[in-house]
Structure formats: C-alpha cells, structure tokens
Amino acid sequence: MKVLKFGGSSVADATRISAVMDIVCPAAEGSRVVLVLSAISGCTDALLECSRLEGRALSDALKKLEDRHIRIARRLFTGGDFLEAEQSIKQIFRSIEAAAPQSRVTFGEVLSTTIVERKLRCEGYRTHWCDSRKLVRTAGGKLDEGLTYAFISKEISSHPDAGIFVAPGFIASDENGLPTTLGRGGSDYSAAIYAAALGADSLQIWTDVSGMMTANPKTVAAARTIPRISYEAALELARCGAKVLYAPTVEPAMKAGIEINILNTFEPKSSGTVVCACPTSERRTRWMGVTSLQCSDESCCELTLVGEGVSERSNASRRLLTCLQDAGLKPLGDVLGSGSVFKVRLRSSVEREALHSVHREFFEERKENVINVFLAGYGAVGKALVDILASGSERIIKRTGRSIRIVGVSDSKHYIIDMQGLGSASIAARLHEGESAAGCAFIKAVCDVAPRGSVFVDASDSCTLYKSYPELFRRRVGIVTSNRRSLATDYCDYAALKSEAMENGVTFRYDTTVGNALPLLESISSGANCSDELLSIEAVVSCTLNYIITNYDGVRAKSFASLLKKAQDEGLTEKDPRVDLAGGDVLRKLLILAREALVPLEESDVKITPALPEEFFHCSLEEFYAKLQSYESEFVRLEDELDAMGKRRRFVASLIADPKAPKGYRAEIKMRLVSAESPFYWLSGTENVVVVRSRYSSAPMVIKGAGEGDKLAASGIIRDILL
Ligand code: ASP
Ligand code: MG
C-alpha cells in the first residue's frame, strides 16, 4: 500500500489536479493507493472566515468559493460527468450552510476529494471515497490511535476491489462524534495516520517545494534540499518553524518505521527529502537546517539550528554565537544547546539577517578574495609553488578575482609566519632563522593565527602531518595536500577527514596525490557525484616503474639496475626504491582513486604482485642492487622475448566491477603484458595513464600525461587552492 498526500497548492486548480493525476496514476499501477488531499489553496482560510459570518455575507462568501470549485470541475469534466460533479459540489455547499459555524472549516477537504475521486473514476480507476470524519477519531483533543487504526483497516479491507482510496486530510471527529480537525496543516498528519494504520510501504507528502530545506527558501535564497534526515531532526525543524511538514506527522510514521518522502508536485522528478531512521553508525556532525519562530513576545524570535550526531568537538554553540556577533547581531541571552539542537533568541527585527548569517556559516561554502596560505614542506614542490605565485599572481587575480598570499612556510626544522605575506626571495633565508618547528609547533601557530578561509598546503613528505588535519579543519582552515599518505591509511580515517572538512565547511583537496596535475580525481568524483556507475579504473601510475620500464623498452642501453639508481638519484622513487617495486606507492594511488569513486577500498582488498620476485625484497639495499646487476642478462632475455611477441610490460593497478567481490570491485596490482592496441603500450618516461570506464560513457575515458614535475605539481596545488 502507498499513501500519497497532496497539499492545497497541488490541487489549487484544474491544471494542478491534472499534474496530480500524472503522479497518482503511475503509482497506482503496481500497488493500491490511499490518496490524501488538502483543501484547494485558500479554501480553509475562506471557510474559517465563513464561520464568523452569517446571513448575506455568508452566502456571498460561500457563493464565491462554490464558483471556484465549479470552475475547476468545468475544466476537468465534460457532459454528464460535469453535471454530476456540479450537483455534488452544490450539495456540499448546502451542507456547509446548514452546518454549525465551527464545523464549516471541515468541508474544504470534502470538496477537493470529491472532485478528484470523480476524476479518477472517470479515468477508469476503481476508487473508494473514505470519510475521514468517520475513520479518524480524536479523544481529549488527541488522536485516538487504537480506534482510528481499527476503523481505517476495516474500511480498506471491506473494499477489496478498490485500487485507489481517496481520503480527505485534516478532518476527523471527536469522542462525541462531532466533526473536528487535526490542526492547521493537518493533512500531512492524516496521511501519516493512514500509512501507519495500514503498514504502508511508502508515504509520500507532495508539496510545492523540493522537500525539507536547510532554511526557508523564501527567506534564504541559498537554501537547499536536505536529501535525508532523521525523524528526530525533521520533527525538531517542523516544530521550530519549518512549515513544509506538520510536526505531528512524524510520530506515527516513526513508530511504524515508515519513511516519509517529501516531494514537489512542480518538480516531480527531483528526489526531495527522505525522513527516516538514519543510521546511527555515522558518527559525525551533519547540519540539517536552521529555522526561526516568533516568540510569544512578538518583538523577539527564537532561532533553531538542527544537526545530527553533533559532536562536542564541533563547538557549535560558540560558532553560532560568533557568527551572529560577526554580523553585528546581539543575541538576547545565551545559546542553549542540547544534543544536536541549538537555540538562540534575537530581536524579530534582525530575524532575516540572522537566518542569513547562520545559513552562510553552517550551510554555504565561502570564497574569500585573498586566500592566506600556510605551506608545509619547502622542498622542490614547495619552492615551485612559491616561485609561481611570485611571478604569476597578477594573472591569477585577473583571471579569478582572487589572490593567493603565502603567509607561513615550514620545513622539517623551522617555520616562519608573517601575516603581511612572505616575499619569495627572502623565504629561504628567513626560514633558516625561523622558529623551531619541533613538536607540531607550526600547526599550533597556524591554529592560533589563521584567519577563516585560510588554506594549509601540505607539500611535505611527512608521514604524520595528516594527523593534525582535523585540528586545522576545526579552526576553519582548509587543506590542500599533495601528500598522499594522508588519504591512503584506513578508509575510516580517510572518511573521517573528509567529513571533518565538510562539517566545518572548509576546503579539502588532494588532486595532485595521483597523476600529479592530471585532472584525475576531479573526473572520477564528478562521475560518482552524478551516480554514474564505475565499471573499471586501470592505471599505470608508478613514475618509478614507468621511468625504468619505458627507458628499458627496446633500447636496453643501460642496465635495469643503473636506471633504477638514476631514478632514485633524481628523487623519483621512495627512499628505498623497492617500496615502489613492491607496489607500495601504486597501492596508495589506487586506494585514493577507488575512494574517490565511492568504493571504500582498504589495503587488504588489493591483491599485489610485486614487480620483482620475492627474493629481491629480503636483503639490504646494497645487496639488492648487486642482485639486480647479476640478473641483468635474464632481464634482457625476457625483454627480447617480449619484443618478439610485440608486447610490453606495464605495472598496472586495476579496480574492476565484480558483483561477486565483497565491495563490488576487484582490485589488483601487477605486471601485465600489453600489446600495441592498449592505451598503456605507447608511454614515455614518467608518463601516467588512467583508463576509466563507466556506465554513462560509451568509450573509455583515457587521461594521459606527465606524472611528475615540480612546477606541474605546484600548478595542480594552485588549482586546488582556487577551487
Ligand atoms: N487545509 C488544511 C489547512 O490549510 C489542512 C492542510 O492543508 O494540511 O490547514
Ligand atoms: Mg501543509
């Protein structure tokens, strides 16, 4: 059973009702449907007004409302169908006139459902009109759940032939059998009651906005849809001012474990909001929305910020207060926070401004005009970065309207910070005389002085620096890193870093960690963001191995060992080049590529076959080189054999969709033999190639280009900073 509820604006006129039909009819194809409707928009207000009128004024007002309904019927029906519809509308208006004044308001939903039920019947559906006044019962002003659920189940089971049940929302009757309502906006609640009574497998609330939003879109234009939200958080938002959902709706759905899908009749394809029991395992702060509500004293309002799983670390109260103060708004009292809900009172005159500031702080990404950069790592890449910025800053300003200012630099021993900016020429000298960088001193200093929106660049080869990233995020400092260690540890650490950055609304980019400046991660993640299904990634991304193998291909002027030594001397390899030969570096890159495609790959999921046999790895580096030398003739023989076959060796990392594999993908790193048709065959030097296949693209995407180069890496970092 599906329960679909449509609000007043969704049935406001004949065109809207046709749009409702376009949604309901397909839904009724594979399932029985309960259709719950509000009164046409404005009708409940008009009827409430009528309850205060009498005599001529009353009949005039009712006539106007009657005409509106008849006009709708005239557009929806023809011939005899129209006459019958007209008759039934007139009949209902006679009942309204005869009803007790306080009961008049209960007829709006009777009217809208009568019209729509007839329309469905004319279209050939087997329908049944449910009289919610008989089925939905209140006692002491509250829903009598036992009675109501029993009545509803009985009503449905006694009409086994009906495919679509049409039920008025909002209305009920009390313990004395007198008509009553469930409160303004109560049709949502009616729908949840029907759904819970019937154990429906779907409850859809169709309205005129695309679900619950991070703020009221009429006040905050930048508000966006919340895709998933817990029952608790949705209830909190609804209670504290979000008009899109009537708060009592949540309880019956939550108790019955039915998800509420809030959808937009004007945008039927957008997926709206799902209100559900969100997984508690996701232990990270997520901000859901900000609302406001007039206090009983009309000159003030209460602003409520609602999140999920808000950790104490997030410092939400302080952040809320600071952002209001930064905007020059004075709260009336403290921020009251309990769990994931934070409240603060303000003067009503600043309500709008406060909503904007809080929304900007917690829900919008900010772009600063001057980006202050703290650079960790003053090796080749760090130096290239400083050089490019020294000579190219004009161009960056011209093209992006923003400028990058280096305000801090550290190497492994010292650091310097100067918020006025560091001149490139003097950095090396000043760094030498800078403060000691021992024991995370640089990070501590950055945390103390960094203005919001600053970016910390990790161009170091530190194995531990990434442990300080969360602290930087919490200080609202973004991070751009080319240090892939930070992203290739356990998946949960990687995910935690990403969510920490998101929670704090700061940049975290690392495009240069795979394939240097090639636009790899960006391409992969944008596919994943758009639900493209990844079929495979195949990557030749080891600069070391590519360098050696491609230089060895066909020429063999130099021995394998001497080429490796040269690569090591040029700084292409890890300190012990065997880490590369064992696939260690490629492994990190594969993990990052996979994770960017939303595959939570772990080291243990990857099957690695090192580029050389086992024995090469269990000796000292010296012995290793000697052993390589002695193998040279064997290498040459192998290589000649390959030449004869027209093949070449490539060290390939692959991630291939496989429904049988635990995470849906098989991951492997090994030497492969490729022939001339392969995109991996023609490679020179340290070139990287990545081939991505996905559902959306008819041919593989091949990204190929230089996999190393300090200037290139620096340019990739600058791109990340500016994004
Ligand atoms: N028609 C009622 C109201 O305007 C109930 C509803 O629309 O949910 O409050
Ligand atoms: Mg409503």
Side-chain angles (χ1 to χ4, degrees):
M1 181 68 84
K2 291 180 185 165
V3 177
L4 278 70
K5 179 261 166 176
F6 291 84
S9 52
S10 303
V11 288
D13 57 36
T15 315
R16 301 308 314 148
I17 291 177
S18 304
V20 169
M21 300 284 293
D22 291 343
I23 296 166
V24 175
C25 297
E29 234 137 68
S31 162
R32 298 174 92 195
V33 167
V34 176
L35 179 60
V36 177
L37 301 179
S38 291
I40 65 173
S41 62
C43 179
T44 305
D45 289 335
L47 288 171
L48 273 176
E49 182 60 28
C50 287
S51 66
R52 288 186 282 272
L53 302 176
E54 48 188 306
R56 184 66 195 272
L58 174 63
S59 32
D60 282 356
L62 286 178
K63 182 78 180 76
K64 241 169 94 189
L65 203 52
E66 182 180 300
D67 285 349
R68 205 177 142 203
H69 283 89
I70 292 178
R71 266 201 307 279
I72 294 178
R74 186 168 290 125
R75 298 246 345 251
L76 288 175
F77 305 103
T78 51
D81 290 334
F82 168 67
L83 293 176
E84 280 179 27
E86 189 186 30
Q87 272 320 306
S88 59
I89 292 169
K90 287 192 161 154
Q91 176 69 44
I92 296 167
F93 273 90
R94 281 197 287 277
S95 312
I96 302 178
E97 215 160 356
Q102 72 277 12
S103 303
R104 288 179 190 142
V105 70
T106 60
F107 286 90
E109 275 68 13
V110 175
L111 282 160
S112 62
T113 47
T114 304
I115 295 172
V116 173
E117 190 265 339
R118 179 179 302 278
K119 181 67 185 168
L120 285 164
R121 216 174 337 122
C122 292
E123 297 287 324
Y125 289 90
R126 284 176 184 277
T127 59
H128 174 72
W129 187 81
C130 301
D131 190 345
S132 300
R133 287 168 301 197
K134 298 217 173 86
L135 306 179
V136 181
R137 294 306 185 84
T138 66
K142 281 216 195 89
L143 180 74
D144 182 337
E145 199 183 282
L147 211 54
T148 301
Y149 286 11
F151 281 144
I152 291 175
S153 313
K154 182 149 175 279
E155 177 86 353
I156 302 301
S157 55
S158 41
H159 294 88
D161 289 344
I164 304 180
F165 296 86
V166 185
F170 184 50
I171 57 176
S173 50
D174 65 15
E175 55 271 61
N176 303 316
L178 294 174
T180 185
T181 74
L182 300 176
R184 291 307 306 267
S187 297
D188 296 348
Y189 189 25
S190 308
I193 292 168
Y194 275 95
L198 299 169
D201 37 37
S202 168
L203 168 58
Q204 302 174 5
I205 305 282
W206 289 85
T207 175
D208 53 7
V209 289
S210 293
M212 282 197 128
M213 304 187 77
T214 49
N216 182 346
K218 290 192 185 112
T219 315
V220 181
R224 43 171 214 273
T225 299
I226 307 167
R228 282 179 89 75
I229 185 168
S230 67
Y231 292 115
E232 293 80 5
L235 180 59
E236 208 61 55
L237 287 175
R239 258 197 214 136
C240 301
K243 295 194 191 72
V244 53
L245 187 69
Y246 184 49
T249 311
V250 176
E251 196 198 76
M254 180 161 73
K255 270 216 265 180
I258 300 169
E259 296 188 346
I260 309 172
N261 197 186
I262 306 173
L263 296 150
N264 186 353
T265 10
F266 294 85
E267 299 267 0
K269 287 220 156 69
S270 73
S271 46
T273 299
V274 176
V275 184
C276 56
C278 287
T280 46
S281 63
E282 258 187 74
R283 286 212 325 275
R284 62 181 178 94
T285 306
R286 285 166 317 239
W287 294 111
M288 292 292 138
V290 56
T291 56
S292 66
L293 207 57
Q294 193 100 70
C295 299
S296 47
D297 165 7
E298 279 189 10
S299 68
C300 58
C301 63
E302 186 167 64
L303 196 136
T304 308
L305 172 69
V306 178
E308 281 175 12
V310 175
S311 66
E312 270 173 36
R313 288 180 292 122
S314 70
N315 257 327
S317 297
R318 207 194 61 196
R319 207 175 141 195
L320 183 58
L321 197 64
T322 316
C323 100
L324 291 170
Q325 283 165 346
D326 285 355
L329 308 172
K330 256 214 218 81
L332 306 168
D334 288 339
V335 173
L336 300 177
S338 76
S340 294
V341 180
F342 299 83
K343 288 178 185 292
V344 63
R345 282 176 171 236
L346 294 144
R347 238 170 262 302
S348 294
S349 54
V350 300
E351 178 178 7
R352 220 187 142 77
E353 222 183 319
L355 282 168
H356 274 113
S357 307
V358 175
H359 194 268
R360 217 175 298 127
E361 170 71 22
F362 287 85
F363 300 95
E364 294 167 39
E365 252 190 77
R366 222 178 334 261
K367 299 223 154 145
E368 305 290 331
N369 286 331
V370 178
I371 307 171
N372 292 303
V373 166
F374 296 87
L375 169 65
Y378 198 57
V381 175
K383 285 188 182 122
L385 181 72
V386 169
D387 284 349
I388 292 176
L389 290 176
S391 60
S393 63
E394 280 300 304
R395 181 166 312 180
I396 292 175
I397 295 172
K398 237 193 206 136
R399 296 190 53 115
T400 66
R402 300 153 79 212
S403 67
I404 301 176
R405 179 164 62 195
I406 304 233
V407 292
V409 177
S410 121
D411 59 16
S412 56
K413 295 197 183 69
H414 300 103
Y415 76 87
I416 40 170
I417 288 181
D418 183 342
M419 294 312 292
Q420 300 307 308
L422 291 163
S424 67
S426 62
I427 288 181
R430 286 178 68 182
L431 190 55
H432 199 66
E433 278 153 21
E435 313 266 342
S436 160
C440 297
F442 184 48
I443 302 284
K444 288 199 188 106
V446 173
C447 285
D448 279 347
V449 300
R452 61 172 331 129
S454 302
V455 175
F456 183 93
V457 173
D458 180 358
S460 74
D461 56 6
S462 160
C463 302
T464 51
L465 191 51
Y466 74 89
K467 297 194 174 133
S468 303
Y469 288 4
E471 194 181 339
L472 290 161
F473 290 144
R474 271 176 247 137
R475 294 299 174 127
R476 326 303 311 288
V477 175
I479 289 177
V480 169
T481 179
S482 59
N483 184 340
R484 70 185 67 92
R485 283 183 181 81
S486 54
L487 296 140
T489 52
D490 292 346
Y491 179 77
C492 65
D493 292 341
Y494 160 92
L497 280 180
K498 295 212 53 144
S499 63
E500 192 93 46
M502 207 168 6
E503 259 170 41
N504 289 290
V506 294
T507 312
F508 179 36
R509 302 192 60 92
Y510 38 85
D511 238 52
T512 50
T513 54
V514 189
N516 207 2
L518 294 176
L520 265 176
L521 297 186
E522 215 179 301
S523 313
I524 289 174
S525 71
S526 59
N529 292 345
C530 301
S531 343
D532 191 2
E533 189 194 336
L534 179 75
L535 301 176
S536 67
I537 297 176
E538 287 170 293
V540 173
V541 282
S542 168
C543 293
T544 311
L545 277 146
N546 290 2
Y547 177 85
I548 304 162
I549 300 172
T550 57
N551 277 297
Y552 207 67
D553 280 347
V555 185
R556 296 184 279 288
K558 288 215 165 86
S559 73
F560 200 91
S562 65
L563 276 169
L564 184 62
K565 189 79 188 58
K566 189 156 175 261
Q568 188 185 352
D569 293 344
E570 283 176 17
L572 284 178
T573 71
E574 300 276 328
K575 284 200 186 77
D576 183 337
R578 284 177 294 180
V579 174
D580 297 301
L581 296 169
D585 190 51
V586 176
L587 169 67
R588 291 193 196 116
K589 290 172 177 165
L590 182 61
L591 291 177
I592 299 172
L593 285 169
R595 291 168 181 185
E596 219 46 30
L598 302 182
V599 181
L601 202 68
E602 300 280 10
E603 194 174 323
S604 56
D605 298 320
V606 185
K607 196 170 154 230
I608 308 180
T609 315
L612 289 173
E614 199 56 15
E615 55 184 295
F616 284 90
F617 297 93
H618 305 296
C619 52
S620 72
L621 199 53
E622 223 165 284
E623 286 165 334
F624 162 72
Y625 271 114
K627 204 180 280 235
L628 265 188
Q629 251 343 323
S630 67
Y631 255 70
E632 182 61 21
S633 57
E634 176 66 4
F635 289 145
V636 172
R637 193 187 59 75
L638 266 173
E639 213 62 22
D640 287 343
E641 234 175 73
L642 288 179
D643 279 354
M645 294 193 293
K647 303 235 170 183
R648 287 178 175 176
R649 295 197 295 162
R650 296 291 179 251
F651 199 48
V652 183
S654 59
L655 180 78
I656 294 174
D658 177 357
K660 285 194 283 308
K663 286 171 188 155
Y665 288 87
R666 227 175 335 109
E668 214 176 342
I669 296 172
K670 66 172 183 194
M671 207 51 104
R672 285 210 236 150
L673 301 184
V674 300
S675 47
E677 308 83 67
S678 163
F680 299 133
Y681 188 84
W682 301 102
L683 283 190
S684 67
T686 57
E687 259 179 335
N688 280 195
V689 186
V690 175
V691 180
V692 181
R693 291 182 176 78
S694 75
R695 206 55 89 194
Y696 287 174
S697 72
S698 54
M701 169 170 74
V702 180
I703 299 180
K704 175 174 174 176
E708 59 78 55
D710 304 329
K711 279 241 147 72
L712 208 53
S715 73
I717 290 175
I718 291 172
R719 186 182 61 200
D720 276 354
I721 295 174
L722 289 169
L723 270 172

Short mmCIF file of all heavy atoms in Angstrom, two decimals, residues 249-275:
data_model
loop_
_atom_site.label_atom_id
_atom_site.label_comp_id
_atom_site.label_asym_id
_atom_site.label_seq_id
_atom_site.Cartn_x
_atom_site.Cartn_y
_atom_site.Cartn_z
N THR A 249 3.01 14.84 12.17
CA THR A 249 3.11 13.81 11.13
C THR A 249 4.21 12.79 11.42
O THR A 249 4.12 11.62 11.06
CB THR A 249 3.46 14.51 9.78
OG1 THR A 249 2.56 15.59 9.61
CG2 THR A 249 3.35 13.56 8.61
N VAL A 250 5.29 13.26 12.05
CA VAL A 250 6.47 12.42 12.19
C VAL A 250 6.19 11.20 13.08
O VAL A 250 6.60 10.09 12.77
CB VAL A 250 7.65 13.25 12.75
CG1 VAL A 250 8.86 12.36 13.00
CG2 VAL A 250 8.01 14.38 11.80
N GLU A 251 5.46 11.43 14.17
CA GLU A 251 5.34 10.36 15.17
C GLU A 251 4.75 9.05 14.65
O GLU A 251 5.36 7.99 14.81
CB GLU A 251 4.57 10.86 16.40
CG GLU A 251 4.79 9.93 17.56
CD GLU A 251 3.74 10.10 18.63
OE1 GLU A 251 2.61 9.61 18.42
OE2 GLU A 251 4.04 10.71 19.64
N PRO A 252 3.56 9.10 14.03
CA PRO A 252 3.01 7.82 13.57
C PRO A 252 3.93 7.11 12.58
O PRO A 252 4.08 5.88 12.65
CB PRO A 252 1.69 8.19 12.89
CG PRO A 252 1.50 9.65 13.06
CD PRO A 252 2.67 10.24 13.75
N ALA A 253 4.58 7.89 11.71
CA ALA A 253 5.47 7.27 10.72
C ALA A 253 6.67 6.64 11.41
O ALA A 253 7.07 5.52 11.12
CB ALA A 253 5.92 8.33 9.71
N MET A 254 7.22 7.37 12.39
CA MET A 254 8.40 6.88 13.10
C MET A 254 8.05 5.60 13.85
O MET A 254 8.80 4.62 13.81
CB MET A 254 8.89 7.96 14.06
CG MET A 254 10.11 7.58 14.86
SD MET A 254 10.95 9.03 15.53
CE MET A 254 9.84 9.53 16.80
N LYS A 255 6.90 5.61 14.54
CA LYS A 255 6.52 4.43 15.32
C LYS A 255 6.33 3.22 14.42
O LYS A 255 6.67 2.10 14.79
CB LYS A 255 5.20 4.72 16.06
CG LYS A 255 5.42 5.31 17.44
CD LYS A 255 4.38 4.81 18.43
CE LYS A 255 3.24 5.72 18.59
NZ LYS A 255 2.14 5.60 19.38
N ALA A 256 5.78 3.47 13.23
CA ALA A 256 5.51 2.35 12.33
C ALA A 256 6.72 2.04 11.45
O ALA A 256 6.69 1.11 10.65
CB ALA A 256 4.30 2.67 11.46
N GLY A 257 7.80 2.83 11.60
CA GLY A 257 9.00 2.59 10.81
C GLY A 257 8.79 2.85 9.32
O GLY A 257 9.38 2.19 8.48
N ILE A 258 7.94 3.83 9.02
CA ILE A 258 7.70 4.15 7.60
C ILE A 258 8.45 5.43 7.24
O ILE A 258 8.34 6.44 7.94
CB ILE A 258 6.19 4.34 7.34
CG1 ILE A 258 5.43 3.06 7.71
CG2 ILE A 258 5.93 4.73 5.89
CD1 ILE A 258 3.93 3.23 7.73
N GLU A 259 9.21 5.38 6.16
CA GLU A 259 9.94 6.58 5.74
C GLU A 259 8.96 7.58 5.14
O GLU A 259 8.00 7.20 4.48
CB GLU A 259 10.99 6.21 4.69
CG GLU A 259 12.06 5.31 5.24
CD GLU A 259 13.22 5.07 4.28
OE1 GLU A 259 13.07 5.40 3.08
OE2 GLU A 259 14.26 4.57 4.74
N ILE A 260 9.22 8.84 5.38
CA ILE A 260 8.38 9.88 4.78
C ILE A 260 9.18 10.52 3.66
O ILE A 260 10.28 11.00 3.88
CB ILE A 260 8.03 10.99 5.80
CG1 ILE A 260 7.48 10.40 7.10
CG2 ILE A 260 7.04 11.98 5.20
CD1 ILE A 260 7.31 11.44 8.22
N ASN A 261 8.61 10.50 2.47
CA ASN A 261 9.30 11.13 1.35
C ASN A 261 8.56 12.42 1.01
O ASN A 261 7.38 12.39 0.69
CB ASN A 261 9.30 10.16 0.16
CG ASN A 261 10.30 10.52 -0.91
OD1 ASN A 261 10.34 9.90 -1.95
ND2 ASN A 261 11.12 11.53 -0.67
N ILE A 262 9.26 13.53 1.16
CA ILE A 262 8.63 14.82 0.87
C ILE A 262 9.02 15.26 -0.53
O ILE A 262 10.20 15.38 -0.85
CB ILE A 262 9.06 15.88 1.90
CG1 ILE A 262 8.77 15.36 3.31
CG2 ILE A 262 8.30 17.19 1.65
CD1 ILE A 262 9.31 16.25 4.40
N LEU A 263 8.03 15.45 -1.38
CA LEU A 263 8.29 15.67 -2.80
C LEU A 263 7.58 16.92 -3.31
O LEU A 263 6.68 17.44 -2.66
CB LEU A 263 7.82 14.43 -3.58
CG LEU A 263 8.58 13.15 -3.24
CD1 LEU A 263 7.71 11.93 -3.40
CD2 LEU A 263 9.81 13.05 -4.13
N ASN A 264 7.99 17.33 -4.51
CA ASN A 264 7.48 18.58 -5.09
C ASN A 264 6.64 18.30 -6.34
O ASN A 264 7.17 17.80 -7.32
CB ASN A 264 8.68 19.47 -5.43
CG ASN A 264 8.28 20.84 -5.90
OD1 ASN A 264 7.10 21.12 -6.10
ND2 ASN A 264 9.26 21.70 -6.07
N THR A 265 5.35 18.63 -6.29
CA THR A 265 4.49 18.39 -7.48
C THR A 265 4.95 19.21 -8.68
O THR A 265 4.69 18.83 -9.81
CB THR A 265 3.02 18.82 -7.25
OG1 THR A 265 2.92 19.53 -6.04
CG2 THR A 265 2.11 17.64 -7.24
N PHE A 266 5.63 20.32 -8.41
CA PHE A 266 6.09 21.16 -9.52
C PHE A 266 7.38 20.61 -10.12
O PHE A 266 7.78 20.99 -11.20
CB PHE A 266 6.30 22.61 -9.05
CG PHE A 266 5.01 23.28 -8.65
CD1 PHE A 266 4.50 23.14 -7.37
CD2 PHE A 266 4.29 24.03 -9.57
CE1 PHE A 266 3.31 23.75 -7.00
CE2 PHE A 266 3.09 24.64 -9.20
CZ PHE A 266 2.60 24.50 -7.92
N GLU A 267 8.06 19.76 -9.38
CA GLU A 267 9.32 19.15 -9.84
C GLU A 267 9.25 17.66 -9.54
O GLU A 267 10.03 17.16 -8.72
CB GLU A 267 10.52 19.71 -9.06
CG GLU A 267 10.74 21.18 -9.18
CD GLU A 267 11.71 21.52 -10.28
OE1 GLU A 267 12.20 20.58 -10.96
OE2 GLU A 267 11.95 22.71 -10.47
N PRO A 268 8.33 16.94 -10.18
CA PRO A 268 8.09 15.56 -9.73
C PRO A 268 9.31 14.66 -9.84
O PRO A 268 9.37 13.62 -9.20
CB PRO A 268 6.95 15.08 -10.64
CG PRO A 268 6.87 16.07 -11.75
CD PRO A 268 7.48 17.34 -11.29
N LYS A 269 10.30 15.05 -10.63
CA LYS A 269 11.46 14.16 -10.80
C LYS A 269 12.52 14.36 -9.71
O LYS A 269 13.37 13.52 -9.52
CB LYS A 269 12.09 14.40 -12.17
CG LYS A 269 11.25 13.83 -13.29
CD LYS A 269 12.13 13.17 -14.36
CE LYS A 269 11.38 12.12 -15.15
NZ LYS A 269 10.35 12.71 -16.03
N SER A 270 12.49 15.48 -9.02
CA SER A 270 13.54 15.67 -8.03
C SER A 270 13.24 14.82 -6.81
O SER A 270 12.08 14.60 -6.45
CB SER A 270 13.71 17.14 -7.66
OG SER A 270 12.63 17.56 -6.88
N SER A 271 14.28 14.30 -6.16
CA SER A 271 14.03 13.23 -5.19
C SER A 271 13.66 13.75 -3.80
O SER A 271 13.36 12.96 -2.92
CB SER A 271 15.22 12.29 -5.12
OG SER A 271 16.39 13.04 -5.05
N GLY A 272 13.64 15.04 -3.60
CA GLY A 272 13.11 15.61 -2.36
C GLY A 272 13.86 15.15 -1.12
O GLY A 272 15.06 14.90 -1.15
N THR A 273 13.11 15.00 -0.04
CA THR A 273 13.71 14.63 1.24
C THR A 273 13.14 13.31 1.72
O THR A 273 11.94 13.09 1.63
CB THR A 273 13.39 15.70 2.30
OG1 THR A 273 13.94 16.94 1.88
CG2 THR A 273 13.97 15.32 3.66
N VAL A 274 14.02 12.45 2.22
CA VAL A 274 13.55 11.24 2.88
C VAL A 274 13.75 11.41 4.38
O VAL A 274 14.85 11.69 4.83
CB VAL A 274 14.32 10.00 2.38
CG1 VAL A 274 13.88 8.76 3.15
CG2 VAL A 274 14.10 9.81 0.89
N VAL A 275 12.66 11.29 5.12
CA VAL A 275 12.74 11.34 6.57
C VAL A 275 12.74 9.89 7.05
O VAL A 275 11.83 9.14 6.74
CB VAL A 275 11.54 12.08 7.18
CG1 VAL A 275 11.69 12.22 8.68
CG2 VAL A 275 11.35 13.44 6.52
#
